[in-house]
Amino acid sequence: SVNLPIATGRAALRASLSADVVPGFIDEPNQHRTNGNQEKSQAGRLALLLAPSDAWSVDLSTLIQHRDSPDGATITLTSDLTPDTGRLSNSEPVPQTHESRLQYYSARITAHLPAATFIGATSYSSMQTAEWQQVHYQAEPPSQRTVQGNQFSLRKLTQELRVTSAGGSRLDWRAGAFFTDERGNQIRSRVRREPARG
């Protein structure tokens, strides 16, 4: 992370980046892969403060994050509930991926007026996740596998306006309004694939 003063007392910028790796511990011999449930995450954030005067200030910020995992952390079992390919392994022939995307944006205006303080805040966020999981159906022949996909998205917008009295008198007051709009979507799909052959 880094802080960058643009104008002393009037403007500043903060930027940060992060990367994280969670080690995997599940092997997939049928996919010729080890530690397949490793998860990687990358994120970045920007924040900008503008204060054109002692009475007014504007805060702007954004956050973006990506998370990915090439396979799940499940262990496949036999009919007697024992691991079929090892204690920490998975016999699935196709990957069971998981990924998520997050974006967040916000803006806030603050005004210190003689008799009150005004705050206007707006935010918007968008999130998408997608994962694929192998499912088994007894009616299917052994040579086929069904992979089920689950995709979910959510978008949310919020707006708040608030005015608060400056205080110091016998009567303090606060007035405001709040609005939010949230929309989500979920899609499920199934794809049949033949298992990988080593």
Side-chain angles (χ1 to χ4, degrees), residues 35-115:
N35 304 324
N37 62 315
Q38 181 186 78
E39 182 179 272
K40 296 182 179 180
S41 176
Q42 301 89 31
R45 182 176 182 269
L46 283 175
L48 176 65
L49 171 64
L50 301 174
S53 68
D54 293 338
W56 290 84
S57 64
V58 178
D59 292 278
L60 304 173
S61 66
T62 180
L63 170 67
I64 297 177
Q65 182 186 56
H66 292 173
R67 300 179 65 183
D68 297 276
S69 180
D71 216 323
T74 58
I75 298 173
T76 48
L77 306 176
T78 63
S79 58
D80 59 355
L81 302 182
T82 58
D84 60 355
T85 56
R87 188 174 64 90
L88 295 176
S89 66
N90 188 317
S91 64
E92 304 291 14
V94 293
Q96 302 182 85
T97 61
H98 174 85
E99 60 180 356
S100 65
R101 303 287 184 265
L102 171 66
Q103 299 181 52
Y104 176 79
Y105 307 91
S106 68
R108 174 176 171 145
I109 300 176
T110 304
H112 299 283
L113 306 175

Side-chain angles (χ1 to χ4, degrees), residues 30-190:
N30 288 338
Q31 301 177 45
H32 309 289
R33 180 169 53 191
T34 60
N35 304 324
N37 62 315
Q38 181 186 78
E39 182 179 272
K40 296 182 179 180
S41 176
Q42 301 89 31
R45 182 176 182 269
L46 283 175
L48 176 65
L49 171 64
L50 301 174
S53 68
D54 293 338
W56 290 84
S57 64
V58 178
D59 292 278
L60 304 173
S61 66
T62 180
L63 170 67
I64 297 177
Q65 182 186 56
H66 292 173
R67 300 179 65 183
D68 297 276
S69 180
D71 216 323
T74 58
I75 298 173
T76 48
L77 306 176
T78 63
S79 58
D80 59 355
L81 302 182
T82 58
D84 60 355
T85 56
R87 188 174 64 90
L88 295 176
S89 66
N90 188 317
S91 64
E92 304 291 14
V94 293
Q96 302 182 85
T97 61
H98 174 85
E99 60 180 356
S100 65
R101 303 287 184 265
L102 171 66
Q103 299 181 52
Y104 176 79
Y105 307 91
S106 68
R108 174 176 171 145
I109 300 176
T110 304
H112 299 283
L113 306 175
T117 298
F118 167 80
I119 295 177
T122 302
S123 68
Y124 174 80
S125 61
S126 172
M127 181 185 68
Q128 296 89 31
T129 63
E131 61 181 5
W132 293 91
Q133 293 182 335
Q134 182 170 306
V135 292
H136 301 268
Y137 297 93
Q138 293 183 354
E140 293 182 349
S143 61
Q144 289 184 333
R145 296 292 185 271
T146 297
V147 181
Q148 179 173 284
N150 187 23
Q151 297 172 288
F152 178 76
S153 63
L154 179 67
R155 292 175 174 83
K156 185 173 183 179
L157 173 68
T158 63
Q159 174 71 57
E160 181 181 6
L161 301 175
R162 186 168 71 245
V163 182
T164 306
S165 62
S169 62
R170 293 187 176 183
L171 177 64
D172 291 332
W173 53 269
R174 176 180 294 175
F178 178 79
F179 167 81
T180 183
D181 180 30
E182 185 173 336
R183 302 172 186 266
N185 186 35
Q186 186 174 20
I187 300 175
R188 289 188 176 181
S189 57
R190 290 194 301 171

